Amino acid sequence: MRGYDASVPYLHSLLADCWIVLPERSEQDPSSVCSEVDCAQKVRKEKQVENQQMTRSSDTARKPMPGDTIDFPLKHLNRHLLAVAQFACSVVAGFVFGFIGIELLVGQLDFGFRLLLGVMIGLIVALSEIYFLAQKLNEEDDVSLPSSHPTLQSMAKSTQKTHQD
């Protein structure tokens, strides 16, 4: 611990001679204040925009605005690029944990052993990421059959008698 240094002034002694100057509050001129009609119109427009945003998905007659959605292929491309970036980051993080993190936990280790641990943990993370990525992509590809398409259960129900003889 350092001792007291008399050449260094304290903060309160530096601020003792200072003055705080606050800006004066200026009065608003009447022309900048909106009239009641203008304020009511602004509120009505804000409510209308909010209502359009809430009913966007249920209103089929409304034309989509340019900023509403991203083009369909571009949306899928962004989703896939994000999945690839997430995969790469996870694998690199697993390798770094195996290479550096284990040494920080255990202590000094041989370089070859650290490299082996990093590759093994990175491989385990990569395999698990591939599994979850395939599961996610499979969910996206599953399309429910339309109701007009007969299923095995609906065909079995149609062969049963509906009345008693």
Side-chain angles (χ1 to χ4, degrees):
M1 193 162 186
R2 291 193 287 175
Y4 172 72
D5 188 8
S7 64
V8 177
Y10 287 103
L11 180 63
H12 73 279
S13 63
L14 291 174
L15 295 175
D17 298 329
C18 295
W19 291 91
I20 297 175
V21 180
L22 299 175
E24 293 183 19
R25 183 171 180 247
S26 61
E27 296 293 326
Q28 290 183 344
D29 56 335
S31 64
S32 68
V33 179
C34 65
S35 66
E36 290 181 22
V37 176
D38 292 336
C39 289
Q41 286 178 350
K42 288 179 183 178
V43 168
R44 193 177 318 119
K45 285 182 181 180
E46 288 175 3
K47 286 184 180 180
Q48 186 178 14
V49 167
E50 183 179 324
N51 187 25
Q52 285 177 351
Q53 289 176 349
M54 288 184 346
T55 60
R56 179 178 299 151
S57 62
S58 63
D59 190 7
T60 58
R62 187 180 68 85
K63 292 182 180 178
M65 299 298 286
D68 284 351
T69 58
I70 300 175
D71 293 331
F72 188 70
L74 188 61
K75 193 177 206 180
H76 281 289
L77 180 67
N78 286 341
R79 185 178 300 149
H80 292 303
L81 287 176
L82 185 64
V84 168
Q86 180 182 354
F87 174 80
C89 289
S90 298
V91 172
V92 168
F95 174 79
V96 168
F97 172 74
F99 189 73
I100 297 173
I102 298 293
E103 185 180 31
L104 294 175
L105 293 174
V106 177
Q108 189 68 19
L109 295 173
D110 185 38
F111 178 79
F113 185 67
R114 286 185 358 198
L115 187 64
L116 180 66
L117 282 175
V119 170
M120 284 179 13
I121 293 177
L123 183 63
I124 292 170
V125 170
L127 291 175
S128 63
E129 283 285 327
I130 288 173
Y131 171 74
F132 289 116
L133 185 62
Q135 193 175 25
K136 180 181 174 187
L137 292 176
N138 188 26
E139 287 175 2
E140 290 177 3
D141 290 341
D142 285 343
V143 178
S144 62
L145 295 174
S147 59
S148 63
H149 191 282
T151 62
L152 187 58
Q153 291 176 348
S154 64
M155 289 179 2
K157 288 179 183 178
S158 66
T159 60
Q160 296 175 349
K161 292 184 180 180
T162 57
H163 65 279
Q164 294 287 335
D165 286 331

